[in-house]
Amino acid sequence: AQKVTQTQTSISVVEKTTVTMDCVYETRDSSYFLFWYKQTASGEIVFLIRQDSYKKENATVGHYSLNFQKPKSSIGLIITATQIEDSAVYFCAMREENMGYKLTFGTGTSLLVDP
Amino acid sequence: NSKVIQTPRYLVKGQGQKAKMRCIPEKGHPVVFWYQQNKNNEFKFLINFQNQEVLQQIDMTEKRFSAECPSNSPCSLEIQSSEAGDSALYLCASSPGQYSNERLFFGHGTKLSVL
């Protein structure tokens, strides 16, 4: 069964540093898609970045990048030059191509960026 | 800002009462999802639609939950007889739906409190 696990409950960093959030997943599908979303204090959920399983190159968008380690079923999110406004809860999610549109989420990592 | 509109933002019900929430997906998005997010940040997939047709849904054998996406009207999720355990944030999301790797666009959610 599909499963997404985020073991870090919370992380605290100083502004302008780099932070990495872990995520591991379980799937039997050979084709799948991995997403990171963030949920702000207001509850808004915003898409950040995506990795397609068949792509070897790590995705990068702005100051977000991914560390995709397929043999380890791992998709880490890296945020460089963190800002105060990056404080939020970050969710990893997976969609398996053969499972329709359903997205399976991890339980999130709360990031606090201090000045 | 989210273009998926959910109403109401907050809903307070007594046990046994009916709770109904609505969602207007982003224009042009035929695929609509409902998720329940509990206080532990666990996302539970409830149901998704493509246009008016149900694509996938959890086993709603209790029949307390029902959902629909009629044409030219908001989508809705209804809990017939609310229980304390239903207290959660109910999230609606939409997607263009053409490709499996497409992201979801989330509304701000309806926070249901069952007293």
Side-chain angles (χ1 to χ4, degrees):
Chain A
Q2 53 190 3
K3 187 177 179 182
V4 177
T5 303
Q6 295 177 256
T7 55
Q8 300 158 302
T9 304
S10 63
I11 300 174
S12 183
V13 300
V14 176
E15 193 179 13
K16 299 179 185 177
T17 59
T18 295
V19 64
T20 298
M21 285 178 249
D22 301 328
C23 174
V24 292
Y25 55 91
E26 294 177 24
T27 179
R28 294 180 180 177
D29 210 326
S30 59
S31 179
Y32 50 91
F33 310 96
L34 301 161
F35 303 80
W36 280 89
Y37 290 83
K38 80 173 190 182
Q39 187 171 33
T40 63
S42 68
E44 184 181 15
I45 298 177
V46 179
F47 166 76
L48 298 176
I49 192 168
R50 184 190 82 229
Q51 180 77 39
D52 300 344
S53 63
Y54 55 85
K55 291 188 177 178
K56 292 183 179 179
E57 191 173 306
N58 289 323
T60 298
V61 176
H63 75 145
Y64 302 107
S65 61
L66 297 177
N67 179 16
F68 181 39
Q69 298 184 59
K70 196 170 182 179
K72 294 183 179 180
S73 295
S74 170
I75 184 73
L77 173 69
I78 302 165
I79 307 176
T80 57
T82 50
Q83 302 162 8
I84 303 291
E85 50 267 33
D86 290 326
S87 296
V89 181
Y90 289 78
F91 291 94
C92 177
M94 175 177 68
R95 176 183 293 142
E96 298 170 308
E97 183 143 36
N98 291 325
M99 291 296 290
Y101 293 112
K102 179 182 159 186
L103 207 59
T104 299
F105 287 84
T107 51
T109 296
S110 178
L111 174 67
L112 179 62
V113 181
D114 290 318
Chain B
N1 287 332
S2 175
K3 295 178 182 177
V4 176
I5 308 300
Q6 286 190 251
T7 55
R9 288 292 295 269
Y10 302 94
L11 194 55
V12 180
K13 295 292 178 181
Q15 294 198 46
Q17 290 188 319
K18 188 182 297 186
K20 187 169 185 174
M21 53 204 86
R22 292 175 175 81
C23 169
I24 299 175
E26 187 160 335
K27 190 174 181 181
H29 286 191
V31 184
V32 176
F33 302 75
W34 285 100
Y35 280 88
Q36 178 196 65
Q37 184 184 21
N38 66 21
K39 62 180 181 180
N40 295 320
N41 277 338
E42 295 166 330
F43 282 75
K44 181 180 180 180
F45 169 81
L46 297 176
I47 192 168
N48 59 4
F49 294 84
Q50 182 156 13
N51 298 313
Q52 295 80 53
E53 301 297 319
V54 175
L55 290 175
Q56 299 164 289
Q57 63 181 329
I58 62 166
D59 182 12
M60 297 184 181
T61 54
E62 288 187 39
K63 301 299 183 185
R64 295 190 304 111
F65 286 74
S66 62
E68 61 176 3
C69 271
S71 61
N72 301 317
S73 293
C75 297
S76 65
L77 176 68
E78 187 171 76
I79 306 173
Q80 289 298 323
S81 178
S82 301
E83 298 176 357
D86 297 330
S87 295
L89 181 67
Y90 288 83
L91 292 159
C92 177
S94 71
S95 166
Q98 289 181 308
Y99 305 104
S100 298
N101 62 0
E102 285 173 347
R103 63 185 176 105
L104 268 57
F105 295 75
F106 284 87
H108 283 92
T110 293
K111 186 172 182 180
L112 173 65
S113 298
V114 182
L115 306 177

